Amino acid sequence: MQSYDPDQAMTEVRREFGEHGGVTPSIARSATFTVIEPQTMPEIFRGLRGPDKGGCFLYSRHFNPTVDVLARYLAAMEGTEFALCTASGMSAIACTLLQLCRGGDHIVASDTVYGGTHALLKDLFAEMNIRTTFVDPSRIEEFEAAIVPETRVIYTETIGNPTLKAADIPALSRLAHEREIVLVVDNTFTPMMISPARLGADIVVYSMTKFINGASDLIAGAVCAERDFIYRLMDLHTGRVMLLGPTMDPRVAFDILQRLPHLGLRMREHSARAQAIAERLQALNAPVTYPGLTAYAQHTLVEHMVNMGYGYGGMLTLDCRTRERAEQLMAILQNEERFGLIAVSLGYFDTLMSCSGSSTSSEIPPEEQAGMGLSPGLLRIAIGYTGGLEARIGQIERAVRAVGLV
Ligand SMILES: *Cc1c(COP(=O)(O)O)cnc(C)c1O
């Protein structure tokens, strides 16, 4: 376990108060910003005056004061020099990869990634002549074997969606750096619980739509990296975020700023409940996968990577083998037991359940799903923290018995 505490690290950056001494930051809802001296404007355009160099703002697609506060807190949490907020997780991923790769380049990626990311790499990037080789994230030798002279990026999720296979971030970092390749890690499933940049990742991307915001009421993303890379994304001539334009609205930044202080508490509670539910399901001999179980294939690796005190996350899976059985189980869990909601996404206070193969991973063809170990009956459950824990355990126990899973 790592002794790094991201929650503590966030309290050590400069705290932002609102105008008039507000305990919350103010929302800077301005598209454009005025300067006192006309000479300041050309200096901003030449990159000599930015939010971190004298606090000059220009235009909110570039940098915005409220969005910047959130970025500073995220960088502190992640242990990176800088961060940038985007309009969605997909835009954070796409802009990062497009900044690093051009036509002719190659990416080695985990085969166990979010469906949208899989489509981006396999279908959209292929049209732009950026090729991707997909490999099993639990096998470092597959990443190594897939590297070619054109490889620019190794891309993985810390704990992959939806099979929950873990990537060995320290080992991937050593491999990437030996070959002068950039390691990009999507840490959406495990904020605070695992800090990939501290384990050697160069760039950490997030869908903040999930755990970080935690309220399932907005779409947002982030890129955490060195200052130079963030400035490249914001470059006036070639910046992928600056020119493709998926910047974050300051009202969204404010909402997330109000929820970031309890991300640590929420992660601990998601983890504690998922652990208890997984243990009960395991005791019943249900086909459960959860990184916090010693029976989980990569438990020792994940135990090494986690920050102490945050547990093993809020995600677990139940392999019902067939889609019919998974749908039957979800229907009982939602409509009879009121255990959770049939919905995609994760990180909400209520439990969300979906059958991945026919929903969030449906972009991946069935043969490839089988290859990555994704069964058509895999039920992904994002454990929430409402209700009494014992009552919740009783609900899921009755439901797995009702469908004959145990
Ligand atoms: C949801 C998700 C994304 C995409 O994020 P959006 O905010 O929906 O654009 C990317 N990666 C993972 C792991 C996700 O769960």
Side-chain angles (χ1 to χ4, degrees):
M1 289 199 185
Q2 307 285 322
S3 59
Y4 182 64
D5 187 349
D7 211 352
Q8 176 59 28
M10 269 205 299
T11 67
E12 286 165 12
V13 288
R14 177 165 54 84
R15 171 85 183 275
E16 195 73 25
F17 294 97
E19 281 179 90
H20 319 292
V23 295
T24 65
S26 302
I27 307 180
R29 284 186 61 184
S30 197
T32 189
F33 298 85
T34 176
V35 294
I36 295 179
E37 304 294 338
Q39 302 88 316
T40 308
M41 187 78 83
E43 288 178 4
I44 300 175
F45 273 89
R46 281 163 54 214
L48 301 175
R49 301 280 284 266
D52 61 326
K53 299 168 187 154
C56 282
F57 289 90
L58 172 69
Y59 183 67
S60 279
R61 177 158 42 76
H62 190 228
F63 288 107
N64 168 280
T66 312
V67 180
D68 240 43
V69 175
L70 176 59
R72 276 202 294 116
Y73 291 178
L74 291 170
M77 168 175 107
E78 224 40 51
T80 56
E81 197 177 10
F82 230 62
L84 181 69
C85 301
T86 58
S88 65
M90 279 317 300
S91 58
I93 296 166
C95 290
T96 294
L97 294 175
L98 285 173
Q99 197 73 49
L100 295 166
C101 300
R102 54 217 62 213
D105 287 346
H106 176 252
I107 297 170
V108 182
S110 158
D111 65 10
T112 306
V113 291
Y114 179 69
T117 308
H118 192 274
L120 177 79
L121 294 167
K122 180 162 172 279
D123 304 324
L124 192 149
F125 280 6
E127 287 184 7
M128 303 164 76
N129 194 29
I130 299 170
R131 288 180 310 118
T132 300
T133 304
F134 291 96
V135 300
D136 181 340
S138 62
R139 294 168 57 87
I140 188 88
E141 60 279 16
E142 288 197 13
F143 283 94
E144 188 162 13
I147 294 172
V148 293
E150 295 76 30
T151 307
R152 298 286 165 265
V153 172
I154 292 179
Y155 183 87
T156 189
E157 292 175 6
T158 315
I159 301 227
N161 178 27
T163 59
L164 306 182
K165 276 190 198 173
D168 185 339
I169 307 295
L172 282 177
S173 161
R174 284 192 295 276
L175 173 65
H177 297 153
E178 260 167 43
R179 308 294 184 92
E180 291 181 23
I181 295 169
V182 179
L183 175 60
V184 180
V185 176
D186 179 340
N187 199 43
T188 300
F189 275 29
T190 49
M192 289 212 169
M193 182 190 136
I194 296 179
S195 303
R198 307 253 328 160
L199 298 171
D202 299 294
I203 300 173
V204 180
V205 290
Y206 276 108
S207 166
M208 296 205 282
T209 312
K210 316 295 170 54
F211 286 105
I212 293 184
N213 180 57
S216 289
D217 60 349
L218 53 81
I219 300 287
V223 182
C224 303
E226 285 184 349
R227 179 187 312 261
D228 277 359
F229 185 72
I230 302 299
Y231 272 81
R232 274 169 68 197
L233 288 169
M234 276 306 181
D235 185 273
L236 300 177
H237 301 280
T238 58
R240 282 13 176 206
V241 174
M242 183 64 189
L243 297 179
L244 297 174
T247 37
M248 177 179 279
D249 186 284
R251 284 165 283 186
V252 169
F254 180 83
D255 285 349
I256 300 176
L257 275 166
Q258 293 304 89
R259 291 153 188 178
L260 203 54
H262 47 71
L263 174 61
L265 277 176
R266 289 187 278 115
M267 288 310 291
R268 289 177 211 266
E269 191 60 18
H270 282 295
S271 290
R273 285 169 173 252
Q275 181 81 39
I277 291 169
E279 283 174 5
R280 183 67 65 94
L281 288 169
Q282 188 184 44
L284 295 169
N285 275 325
V288 60
T289 299
Y290 180 68
L293 295 174
T294 47
Y296 168 81
Q298 299 168 287
H299 180 71
T300 315
L301 167 66
V302 177
E303 186 180 38
H304 169 70
M305 294 197 296
V306 291
N307 294 319
M308 206 182 318
Y310 292 93
Y312 289 84
M315 305 298 294
L316 60 84
T317 63
L318 262 174
D319 189 354
C320 304
R321 304 275 170 225
T322 64
R323 175 173 158 187
E324 292 65 33
R325 170 92 71 78
E327 287 175 350
Q328 202 189 354
L329 180 58
M330 280 195 289
I332 294 175
L333 283 170
Q334 175 178 269
N335 304 329
E336 292 175 27
E337 296 290 351
R338 308 266 183 265
F339 176 80
L341 305 170
I342 303 171
V344 297
S345 201
L346 45 124
Y348 192 39
F349 46 74
D350 279 328
T351 293
L352 302 181
M353 314 172 279
S354 57
C355 181
S356 300
S358 45
S359 60
T360 48
S361 296
S362 59
E363 292 93 334
I364 306 172
E367 326 74 78
E368 285 179 46
Q369 290 192 16
M372 63 188 261
L374 170 50
S375 133
L378 192 81
L379 183 59
R380 184 185 81 180
I381 310 184
I383 300 293
Y385 47 80
T386 55
L389 178 57
E390 274 310 313
R392 291 297 188 209
I393 289 175
Q395 292 168 345
I396 197 165
E397 185 168 336
R398 279 192 298 277
V400 293
R401 285 190 196 286
V403 299
L405 207 58
V406 298

